[in-house]
Amino acid sequence: MDPILIYGINALVYIGIFAIVALSLNAEYGYTGLANFGKVAFFMIGAYSYALLVQAGVPWPVALALATLISSIFGLLVSLPAIRLREDYLAIVTLTFGEILRIFIKSEDWLANGVWGISIPPVFAAGNFTAGLWMNLALVFGLLAVCFVFMTLLANSPFGRIMRALREDQIAADAIGKNRITYKSQIFMIGSAMAGLGGALFANFVGYIAPESFLPIITFTIWMMVILGGPASNIGVIVGAAAVQLFERGTIILKDYVTLPIDPTNLQNILFGVIIITILMVRPSGLFKESKINTLGTRRAMRWLNPSSK
Amino acid sequence: MNWAQILFNSAVTGSLYLISAVALTLVYGLARFPNFAHAEIMALGGFIGYFVAEQLGAPLPLAFVFAFAVSGLIGYLSYRGIFKPLADRGASLIHLMVASMALGFILRHSIGEIWGFSPLTFNIVWPAYDVGPLRISLNWLILIFTAVVVGVGLHLVLTKTKIGKAIRATASNPKLALSAGINTTRVLVITWFVSAGLAGIAGLFRGVETRLSPYLGWDILLPTFAVAVLGGIGSFYGAIVAAIIIGLAENIGVVLLSQAGLSTEYRMAIPFVILIVVLIFRPQGLAKAFKGN
């Protein structure tokens, strides 16, 4: 198979995986305004659950579903103490949770081989590299499509309107009788489940995971995707995921063609920081505007308010 | 079990956290967001000290002066260049946090570019003394002494001087302080400078004690947050008490961990557990008990 094609598919799979995780942060931060700075923790839970289950002989579709479920349960557990907190405390607690989880996996060798990491037996067309690549691509994009449709429906549902209400004015949301703690916990579960799904797909695709695959930079990258693409826009965060992934790869390829006086990985990370600060200053709403609520009711109301529009 | 040694080690750990948490909480109380780049400013202080003391061969006290000055300058520039413009545009708390994380990445990888990511060590051999059951190294004494100087010094500045009163006024009500004729921008500039400078000193102490890496600050950041939250965000006196508590908890906890046969890596989890418990039962921290204003 053509190496360029392999590289292209590989990049697409990564884009798909991170688009799913970016969608999950969009549910939490974009729509609801929850600052989850420990995204990598749920990504990691999904990856490790999937890896351990497949190693234990569970069929991969079941492992994928269970990994998603396990991540959402962890999302609920973390949300119980954390979700009542102010935004800044929530950020600190979730960030710390990610770090502690990594220490836990590192220290407890019996669970997942500690720092040595574990490899995951290939589940697709064992031995056939090209077929496995295509299968992964199909699987990731199939699930991305499911997540996208789910998020679009969710954002336009009554639940989605409560999410936006919680983001804009919690006290008003309380006043109309919506229990914010319950809703926020549910959103945290949804977000963690999708992040876990992304992690499971990641583990399945790369075939080997270790604690060092889950550094805090992953959280930062996912935030960058959402902020660049546009919070509360599902299309936006997918475009953001693609842009960040391509940029990341671009700087790595660059080093083969251009001799830089600075290490490309360092340069890339410095540029990540510069880009995110620039976006926050120049265009805090991201590339894509927040998607409007689109239901039959809102369409009718708009026609009624504004008869000249189509 | 040598409890005297454990208590002394707690004082050492607590002193380090005191310096870094007092610095963090000053800015947190004033700018009203947690500065995640605090970690990398600490690392920067360590490396500046390394540059001055090891690469230039200057005496170590000079390294501390430069660590304070350069880190402080970075704090000043980041406030002027990033956080003030963002705050003026009405950026949300989350945006300020993300921006501070972005600044941290810029700093960390710039440090990595200059000094590399492999750990560096100071070539200083400290004299150690045996006092009864205690083994005391000179750098620990200096660290404890510095923490006391920082604590007492800031206490005097905050209570006795005009700028100290302006800092407290701005922290408690920025709009009222502004209308009372306090130049709040100047207050913030000074606070950012001092906070980052102290972070640099904390980082240099950590570097001297163990070793230097661009990730150095990251290891102190989480306990620092735990101290700041336990003390009550923005509360200087709360931070002092909380630093002692966390220092004790960590050192006693490590002993208990090894007795229980668990990895001592979990020492990092101890401040986290305290943080969670405090947030659940007393989210305002210890601050209420100490608030004089």
Side-chain angles (χ1 to χ4, degrees):
Chain A
M1 200 170 153
D2 188 1
I4 294 175
L5 185 63
I6 292 179
Y7 188 82
I9 296 174
N10 186 298
L12 275 175
V13 173
Y14 268 90
I15 290 172
I17 290 170
F18 279 97
I20 291 174
V21 188
L23 278 175
S24 84
L25 181 62
N26 200 28
E28 290 164 352
Y29 165 65
Y31 286 108
T32 326
L34 292 172
N36 184 350
F37 274 33
K39 277 310 317 179
V40 68
F42 302 98
F43 188 69
M44 187 176 183
I45 291 170
Y48 268 96
S49 308
Y50 177 81
L52 292 173
L53 286 166
V54 168
Q55 267 197 344
V58 177
W60 69 266
V62 182
L64 206 60
L66 281 177
T68 310
L69 186 70
I70 292 169
S71 307
S72 86
I73 291 169
F74 269 95
L76 177 68
L77 288 178
V78 173
S79 83
L80 289 178
I83 213 84
R84 292 158 202 274
L85 305 174
R86 253 163 45 185
E87 292 149 317
D88 46 347
Y89 291 169
L90 180 66
I92 296 171
V93 168
T94 46
L95 176 88
T96 319
F97 175 66
E99 284 296 276
I100 300 300
L101 190 73
R102 200 155 52 84
I103 296 175
F104 174 74
I105 297 283
K106 253 163 112 173
S107 317
E108 303 298 326
D109 291 349
W110 56 270
L111 181 67
N113 213 10
V115 286
W116 310 111
I118 41 177
S119 34
I120 300 109
V123 292
F124 296 133
N128 187 341
F129 177 73
T130 315
L133 210 54
W134 285 109
M135 289 283 281
N136 264 306
L137 184 67
L139 176 71
V140 166
F141 272 80
L143 288 172
L144 173 61
V146 172
C147 289
F148 178 74
V149 171
F150 172 75
M151 277 305 298
T152 310
L153 292 175
L154 189 74
N156 291 322
S157 70
F159 190 89
R161 297 200 288 278
I162 293 167
M163 287 160 78
R164 295 183 210 230
L166 285 171
R167 183 190 61 194
E168 296 303 330
D169 193 337
Q170 304 206 350
I171 294 165
D174 274 357
I176 55 171
K178 304 298 178 195
N179 184 339
R180 57 176 148 174
I181 305 298
T182 316
Y183 281 107
K184 281 185 184 177
S185 286
Q186 286 167 354
I187 293 153
F188 221 69
M189 281 178 80
I190 294 171
S192 306
M194 270 158 67
L197 176 66
L201 291 170
F202 173 76
N204 177 45
F205 183 60
V206 297
Y208 166 79
I209 50 170
E212 297 311 298
S213 332
F214 303 97
L215 295 173
I217 186 165
I218 295 191
T219 303
F220 184 71
T221 318
I222 296 159
W223 270 89
M224 190 167 167
M225 292 165 179
V226 173
I227 288 190
L228 173 70
S233 163
N234 290 321
I235 291 281
V237 300
I238 294 177
V239 173
V244 171
Q245 269 296 322
L246 292 177
F247 175 74
E248 211 173 325
R249 277 157 190 278
T251 34
I252 295 168
I253 300 173
L254 196 68
K255 74 166 189 285
D256 296 337
Y257 297 96
V258 192
T259 330
L260 292 169
I262 170 170
D263 178 61
T265 324
N266 281 337
L267 178 68
Q268 177 195 312
N269 283 300
I270 293 169
L271 283 178
F272 268 169
V274 172
I275 290 172
I276 210 156
I277 289 172
T278 313
I279 297 168
L280 289 175
M281 292 224 188
V282 181
R283 202 183 160 88
S285 60
L287 295 175
F288 286 74
K289 273 194 187 142
E290 170 162 2
S291 57
K292 284 212 176 87
I293 297 169
N294 182 17
T295 61
L296 193 61
T298 50
R299 282 200 297 273
R300 275 194 190 146
M302 286 317 289
R303 266 207 302 275
W304 182 72
L305 285 170
N306 196 1
S308 59
S309 76
K310 33 185 174 134
Chain B
M1 195 52 49
N2 186 349
W3 284 104
Q5 188 72 52
I6 292 170
L7 281 180
F8 182 75
N9 291 351
S10 305
V12 174
T13 318
S15 298
L16 182 72
Y17 293 164
L18 190 150
I19 301 173
S20 74
V22 158
L24 179 82
T25 210
L26 276 178
V27 160
Y28 203 157
L30 237 64
R32 289 162 201 273
F33 76 95
N35 177 20
F36 287 103
H38 198 70
E40 278 72 21
I41 295 176
M42 287 195 261
L44 178 73
F47 279 97
I48 294 293
Y50 181 84
F51 177 71
V52 172
E54 296 288 336
Q55 289 175 312
L56 296 183
L60 196 65
L62 208 59
F64 277 91
V65 173
F66 273 91
F68 182 84
V70 176
S71 304
L73 186 67
I74 294 291
Y76 166 78
L77 291 176
S78 59
Y79 172 66
R80 274 289 176 180
I82 299 171
F83 298 114
K84 185 170 161 44
L86 275 175
D88 288 348
R89 274 158 224 242
S92 66
L93 175 64
I94 296 178
H95 280 181
L96 288 170
M97 290 193 284
V98 173
S100 74
M101 214 166 233
L103 173 67
F105 269 83
I106 297 175
L107 286 176
R108 181 191 299 171
H109 290 275
S110 304
I111 294 170
E113 181 57 35
I114 300 171
W115 285 283
F117 280 90
S118 7
L120 299 171
T121 41
F122 282 84
N123 293 314
I124 307 162
V125 182
W126 296 95
Y129 317 100
D130 283 315
V131 185
L134 278 182
R135 187 149 185 89
I136 296 169
S137 167
L138 182 63
N139 59 329
W140 294 351
L141 287 179
I142 298 174
L143 173 56
I144 295 173
F145 176 72
T146 311
V148 172
V149 168
V150 166
V152 174
L154 277 176
H155 165 72
L156 291 177
V157 168
L158 286 174
T159 49
K160 305 280 182 224
T161 65
K162 214 173 159 189
I163 182 70
K165 285 171 187 160
I167 290 174
R168 285 192 301 156
T170 312
S172 98
N173 191 336
K175 279 181 190 152
L176 198 61
L178 191 64
S179 60
I182 292 171
N183 184 345
T184 48
T185 305
R186 197 169 136 254
V187 166
L188 271 155
V189 163
I190 292 172
T191 312
W192 272 91
F193 186 91
V194 172
S195 162
L198 288 177
I201 286 188
L204 181 51
F205 265 116
R206 177 74 166 203
V208 167
E209 205 187 307
T210 54
R211 51 197 187 149
L212 280 172
S213 109
Y215 297 100
L216 170 147
W218 199 247
D219 296 337
I220 328 176
L221 186 69
L222 300 181
T224 297
F225 273 131
V227 169
V229 172
L230 175 61
I233 296 302
S235 164
F236 163 72
Y237 301 104
I240 294 179
V241 176
I244 297 168
I245 296 176
I246 302 267
L248 276 171
E250 216 182 292
N251 282 281
I252 295 173
V254 168
V255 176
L256 297 179
L257 280 174
S258 55
Q259 278 180 350
L262 288 163
S263 161
T264 46
E265 282 252 18
Y266 284 125
R267 73 181 297 156
M268 272 183 74
I270 294 167
F272 174 66
V273 173
I274 296 173
L275 179 71
I276 293 280
V277 173
V278 170
L279 284 175
I280 293 172
F281 294 104
R282 202 179 160 82
Q284 73 276 37
L286 301 170
K288 278 267 167 64
F290 298 94
K291 222 166 203 169
N293 43 357

